Amino acid sequence: DIFSQKVVTISIALTVVVCSIALLLPITRQISISAGGVALAGGLSGAMLGLTGIGGPPMVLYLLASRLDPRLVSSFLMLYVSLISLLMILASTAYFQISLFVMLVTLALSPVFFLGTMLSSRYVHHLNPKWVRKISLLFLCLANGSFLILQI
């Protein structure tokens, strides 16, 4: 089945790896942020989140390919991930797809997430923006590449 969760998830992971490798190559021209581009990346992120539970890659790749300061991109992505996570928790709770145990674990781990966010906002901006970008893209490649290897 072409729309099975495994096929869709592998397709998304493969797309992220290919796009990340493309973004790691020397860039001669970066894209400008536009309302249409944000709507497209956000729409793809929402569709992917609904289909697979993985919603960030289109927006992350779109912002990493932009001319924006990597520190601004990092701050925006932290906000984006926080809001998407909160919306997923609320949606899952509304449809009774989340147990009390999962809710308690989520609440217990929330301080770790926010501590990581605060530490990265405080210390990442001291790093070279080009290296932050490369490290982010390498992480996307490694995470999704290892996922692909496990699925094949």
Side-chain angles (χ1 to χ4, degrees):
D1 184 18
I2 193 166
F3 290 111
S4 73
Q5 184 172 353
K6 185 172 183 173
V7 170
V8 171
T9 305
I10 289 173
S11 300
I12 291 168
L14 186 59
T15 302
V16 171
V17 170
V18 169
C19 291
S20 297
I21 290 170
L23 288 171
L24 281 169
L25 299 173
I27 295 175
T28 56
R29 181 174 173 211
Q30 292 179 318
I31 63 172
S32 296
I33 297 292
S34 68
V38 169
L40 180 61
L44 286 172
S45 290
M48 285 175 54
L49 184 64
L51 285 171
T52 66
I54 304 168
M59 187 59 76
V60 171
L61 295 174
Y62 180 73
L63 291 173
L64 286 174
S66 74
R67 294 182 179 134
L68 295 175
D69 181 344
R71 291 177 286 246
L72 179 63
V73 171
S74 175
S75 298
F76 177 77
L77 288 175
M78 286 296 171
L79 177 63
Y80 175 79
V81 168
S82 299
L83 290 175
I84 279 293
S85 299
L86 179 62
L87 288 174
M88 267 310 279
I89 291 168
L90 292 174
S92 295
T93 303
Y95 288 101
F96 305 104
Q97 295 178 346
I98 191 167
S99 67
L100 179 61
F101 174 75
V102 171
M103 190 65 118
L104 291 174
V105 170
T106 301
L107 289 173
L109 293 176
S110 293
V112 174
F113 176 78
F114 288 110
L115 177 64
T117 302
M118 288 174 27
L119 290 174
S120 68
S121 68
R122 176 170 285 178
Y123 296 110
V124 170
H125 70 276
H126 294 296
L127 301 174
N128 181 330
K130 290 181 182 180
W131 283 104
V132 170
R133 175 190 166 103
K134 286 182 181 182
I135 289 168
S136 299
L137 291 169
L138 282 172
F139 178 73
L140 282 172
C141 283
L142 289 174
N144 287 279
S146 60
F147 175 79
L148 282 171
I149 291 168
L150 292 173
Q151 294 299 312
I152 296 175

